């Protein structure tokens, strides 16, 4: 039995991922850590992140408890402590065990986060960042509890040194994976390289994908939109792999250039032009 595990990984979050299927049962262990309000000291940054994950404002939090907004500000600033039943009620509102409010959950900086879309409201962007940080924290804990290896086995490539840039980087990875022709099964290869996937929550449908990778010795975590078609989902995953392969080694660029570079990588990784060239040349105007 997996009591209430879906508040951490919503229904469908583990679809199609072997590593997630092996580890999902361990989510229940987090629920055994409920603790009591008197046993936990809430971490302000964790409170803020979990609130943003739920898409709640400080005003909404305060109103729920019949208080004014400055009261909620003081809690997240660390100037007012939560204890006892109030802390338990706060945890229930955020949908997590009490013990998690006392955890110092790592928050990725901008350089460790990659979005598959650029047009997001600040609220949605904050919610997506909070969700991926929270999922990454849980996945890391589960991997360690299960004795699973961490880290990422993907090449780090500076595309500035390659005449054909992102396309050449993608071909390098295809050679490493010994792949020929169009690549249909991408997730198993990515998981073998150390990536971890779950499905985007329904209320973040505008975000196609987001990846967080805290450090080279950690396993990156990717959220993928549940509403995408198979082809769109594969492209999103390939795009996120492109970020992991190129961004750390290729120097700083603006967001548009970074996203375009990942798109070029994804296209070549999934369906290299050399493999499709002959078929494409046979296409004529009017062909169905």
């Amino acid at each position: 039995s997996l009591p209430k595990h879906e508040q951490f990984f919503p229904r469908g979050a583990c679809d199609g991922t072997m590593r997630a299927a092996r580890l999902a049962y361990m989510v229940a262990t987090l629920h055994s850590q409920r603790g009591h309000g008197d046993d936990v000291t809430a971490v302000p940054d964790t409170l803020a992140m979990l609130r943003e994950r739920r898409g709640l404002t400080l005003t909404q939090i305060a109103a729920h408890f019949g208080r004014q907004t400055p009261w909620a500000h003081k809690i997240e600033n660390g100037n007012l402590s939560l204890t006892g039943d109030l802390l338990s009620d706060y945890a229930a509102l955020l949908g997590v065990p009490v013990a998690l409010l006392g955890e110092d959950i790592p928050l990725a900086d901008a350089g460790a986060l990659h979005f598959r879309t650029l047009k997001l409201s600040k609220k949605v962007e904050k919610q997506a960042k909070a969700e991926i940080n929270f999922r990454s924290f849980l996945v890391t804990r589960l991997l360690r509890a299960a004795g699973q290896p961490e880290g990422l086995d993907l090449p780090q490539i500076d595309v500035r040194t390659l005449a054909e840039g992102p396309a050449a980087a993608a071909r390098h990875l295809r050679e490493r994976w010994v792949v020929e022709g169009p690549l249909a099964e991408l997730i198993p290869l990515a998981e073998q390289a150390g990536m971890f996937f779950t499905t985007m929550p329904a209320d973040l449908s505008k975000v196609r994908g987001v990846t967080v990778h805290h450090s080279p010795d950690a396993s990156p975590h990717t959220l993928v939109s549940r509403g995408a078609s198979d082809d769109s989902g594969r492209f999103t995953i390939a795009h996120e792999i492109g970020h992991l392969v190129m961004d750390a080694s290729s120097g700083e660029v603006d967001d548009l250039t970074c996203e375009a570079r990942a798109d070029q990588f994804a296209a070549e990784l999934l369906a290299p032009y050399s493999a499709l060239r002959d078929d494409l040349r046979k296409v004529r105007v009017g062909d169905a």
Side-chain angles (χ1 to χ4, degrees):
S1 134
L2 294 174
K4 298 185 181 178
H5 72 283
E6 289 186 359
Q7 66 178 315
F8 293 111
F9 296 105
R11 186 176 297 281
C14 299
D15 291 352
T17 60
M18 294 175 63
R19 295 179 79 198
R22 290 200 303 269
L23 295 173
Y25 79 96
M26 296 190 65
V27 176
T29 63
L30 290 170
H31 291 273
S32 67
Q33 302 174 0
R34 292 188 178 278
H36 302 284
D38 294 335
D39 304 325
V40 176
T41 300
V43 177
D45 286 346
T46 296
L47 292 175
M49 187 269 285
L50 293 174
R51 171 182 60 78
E52 290 172 351
R53 173 180 176 251
R54 289 299 188 191
L56 297 170
T57 66
L58 287 168
T59 299
Q60 288 171 321
I61 290 283
H64 177 84
F65 290 99
R67 310 292 181 96
Q68 299 297 313
T69 303
W71 174 82
H73 272 290
K74 289 180 181 179
I75 288 173
E76 288 195 6
N77 288 337
N79 294 324
L80 185 63
S81 298
L82 288 174
T83 58
D85 291 340
L86 184 59
L87 180 59
S88 298
D89 291 344
Y90 212 96
L93 176 60
L94 298 177
V96 297
V98 171
L100 280 178
L101 299 185
E103 295 276 1
D104 189 3
I105 299 177
L107 302 177
D109 59 27
L113 281 163
H114 309 295
F115 282 89
R116 174 70 178 98
T117 183
L118 291 174
K119 296 180 179 179
L120 294 175
S121 69
K122 288 295 183 181
K123 179 181 178 181
V124 171
E125 183 176 339
K126 285 183 177 181
Q127 189 174 355
K129 287 180 178 179
E131 184 67 39
I132 189 65
N133 275 295
F134 184 62
R135 297 272 190 100
S136 178
F137 166 77
L138 292 183
V139 165
T140 298
R141 171 169 289 183
L142 295 176
L143 287 171
R144 291 173 181 173
Q148 297 289 313
E150 295 179 66
L152 181 65
D153 184 22
L154 287 177
Q156 299 298 296
I157 299 175
D158 183 350
V159 294
R160 297 170 297 182
T161 66
L162 304 176
E164 296 183 59
R171 289 195 291 273
H172 176 83
L173 183 57
R174 287 176 61 87
E175 291 172 3
R176 180 168 176 163
W177 282 348
V178 194
V179 175
E180 296 182 1
L183 179 53
E185 297 295 328
L186 183 55
I187 284 184
L189 291 169
E191 287 189 329
Q192 288 173 22
M195 297 182 70
F196 199 100
F197 299 90
T198 53
T199 307
M200 193 76 65
D203 54 354
L204 289 174
S205 59
K206 291 184 179 180
V207 185
R208 296 181 186 176
V210 57
T211 294
V212 64
H213 190 204
H214 287 280
S215 66
D217 59 350
S219 293
H221 188 101
T222 297
L223 295 179
V224 183
S225 173
R226 69 178 65 213
S229 67
D230 288 345
D231 287 341
S232 176
R234 277 195 295 271
F235 192 87
T236 293
I237 292 168
H239 175 102
E240 296 300 318
I241 292 173
H243 282 303
L244 292 171
V245 168
M246 299 183 294
D247 287 4
S249 302
S250 299
E252 278 194 38
V253 293
D254 60 83
D255 287 344
L256 285 172
T257 300
C258 187
E259 294 303 306
R261 185 171 67 188
D263 281 345
Q264 294 170 35
F265 177 97
E268 187 70 14
L269 181 67
L270 292 174
Y273 176 70
S274 61
L276 303 176
R277 181 175 49 220
D278 292 342
D279 289 335
L280 291 173
R281 286 175 175 172
K282 294 175 185 177
V283 176
R284 297 290 182 265
V285 176
D287 286 352

